[in-house]
Amino acid sequence: MDDAVPADWLGRREFARDMITESACVRMAATLDRDPPELGAGLPAPWHWMAFLPQARQSAISADGHPPRAGFLAQGELPRRMWASGSMRLLAPVPIGVPIERESEIVGLDDKRGRSGRLLFLTLRHRIRSVQGGLLIDERQHIVYREPSAGAQAMPAGEPAPTDPHWRRRIDPDPTLLFRFSALTFNAHRIHYDRRYAMDVEGYPGLVVHGPLLATMLLDALRHEGGLAQTPDWFEFRAQRPVIDVAPFWVCGRHDADDRHSLWIEDNEGFVCVKAYAGRVPDQNAP
């Protein structure tokens, strides 16, 4: 591993306590253009991303809008960060208005070199529990740190989107939508709201739609357009191409066999930008 990567990263842990309020749920539902959830039903997945937010002081924020380069997720010499993929087991609903706890651990590091330069793949594991100790969510996040790019970002090769979705919802992204989600998750990364920075500094053709927002929309569409009454037991997603705010995109999905659902984000060129799956874990004790 490169000497620029701190040797003590692997196994580093962090503990936090938080609570998701009813008013936060109302704002998330409004951002998704939905009615707010019933309080007794618990938090829709993956709305728990509104908890355990970064709390760096304004004077410590870096030029890109991220928190400082020190602490739990120090990133050394690689200033560009992207949430590449994630997976989670949804064991029980997260209660609304009740304190919850999260234990985070760095469980994987992989230092590579790609076409755009050096890449550091970091895997985080989050265990979210109720204050009584019951495990609610067991989640892994895969984050990529990379070197600054020179000039415009090259769009990754596109995978043609499936032509047989069971549902397909059009989204017209705009700065207001991106700002509202940034506010809900206290995400100050400038690629989501500062068009000049996103284009001139990081080389994107416009504002970038948040990966967590796209993942949230996929599960939201599975509930509403897909008609899934129960929260799935597991969910996994992988980013494949950036989604830019200059054109509409579609939130798509289909019901597969064995209570499994294929989900994807399709851009205006017909390519898959996010690929995801969700499903129910068979009950081993069922008759």
Side-chain angles (χ1 to χ4, degrees):
M1 184 176 294
D2 192 286
D3 291 339
V5 179
D8 63 346
W9 269 24
L10 200 62
R12 186 180 294 182
R13 295 189 179 191
E14 181 181 71
F15 298 86
R17 174 177 282 203
D18 206 345
M19 180 177 68
I20 297 179
T21 64
E22 178 183 356
S23 60
C25 292
V26 171
R27 290 191 290 271
M28 176 63 83
T31 300
L32 298 174
D33 209 18
R34 304 292 192 187
D35 293 328
E38 297 289 338
L39 288 181
L43 198 69
W47 292 18
H48 66 279
W49 289 335
M50 291 190 292
F52 312 109
L53 304 179
Q55 300 183 31
R57 295 176 62 163
Q58 182 64 27
S59 59
I61 293 295
S62 300
D64 64 356
H66 276 311
R69 303 293 187 248
F72 182 60
L73 287 181
Q75 61 197 71
E77 301 175 354
L78 303 178
R80 300 289 184 259
R81 187 173 79 182
M82 179 180 68
W83 193 350
S85 63
S87 63
M88 62 187 74
R89 293 174 59 218
L90 303 165
L91 303 170
V94 174
I96 299 172
V98 176
I100 52 178
E101 299 173 334
R102 186 183 75 177
E103 175 188 357
S104 301
E105 181 182 3
I106 299 176
V107 297
L109 285 171
D110 194 4
D111 204 357
K112 296 184 178 181
R113 184 161 293 276
R115 290 178 300 175
S116 60
R118 183 171 166 233
L119 300 169
L120 178 64
F121 294 84
L122 181 147
T123 301
L124 279 173
R125 185 178 185 183
H126 299 300
R127 298 178 182 91
I128 298 175
R129 297 180 171 88
S130 68
V131 290
Q132 289 77 25
L135 187 62
L136 306 173
I137 296 175
D138 191 349
E139 177 180 8
R140 289 178 185 261
Q141 297 176 359
H142 305 286
I143 300 170
V144 179
Y145 294 96
R146 60 178 179 83
E147 296 174 335
S149 57
Q153 291 269 10
M155 292 291 282
E159 173 189 343
T163 58
D164 58 346
H166 293 167
W167 64 89
R168 193 169 183 264
R169 183 189 186 199
R170 173 174 168 148
I171 304 292
D172 291 286
D174 60 27
T176 302
L177 170 64
L178 303 190
F179 166 79
R180 295 178 90 184
F181 191 80
S182 289
L184 282 166
T185 55
F186 208 45
N187 181 352
H189 194 183
R190 291 168 65 183
I191 63 172
H192 304 306
Y193 61 87
D194 185 337
R195 191 174 303 276
R196 178 175 295 180
Y197 174 87
M199 299 178 70
D200 296 347
V201 178
E202 299 216 15
Y204 291 103
L207 296 178
V208 180
V209 181
H210 316 64
L213 174 56
L214 298 172
T216 299
M217 287 179 166
L218 287 170
L219 279 184
D220 174 76
L222 178 60
R223 285 191 298 272
H224 293 277
E225 280 75 23
L228 186 68
Q230 292 180 301
T231 299
D233 293 319
W234 59 270
F235 174 59
E236 60 185 47
F237 66 95
R238 178 176 297 276
Q240 299 190 178
R241 282 166 59 93
V243 177
I244 309 299
D245 75 329
V246 297
F249 64 89
W250 287 263
V251 184
C252 309
R254 65 170 180 246
H255 300 300
D256 297 330
D258 300 325
D259 208 7
R260 174 185 167 99
H261 315 279
S262 296
L263 312 169
W264 64 94
I265 299 292
E266 177 183 342
D267 67 14
N268 67 310
E269 297 181 63
F271 294 123
V272 174
C273 295
V274 180
K275 182 183 288 188
Y277 300 95
R280 304 281 297 177
V281 176
D283 185 352
Q284 301 299 323
N285 300 316

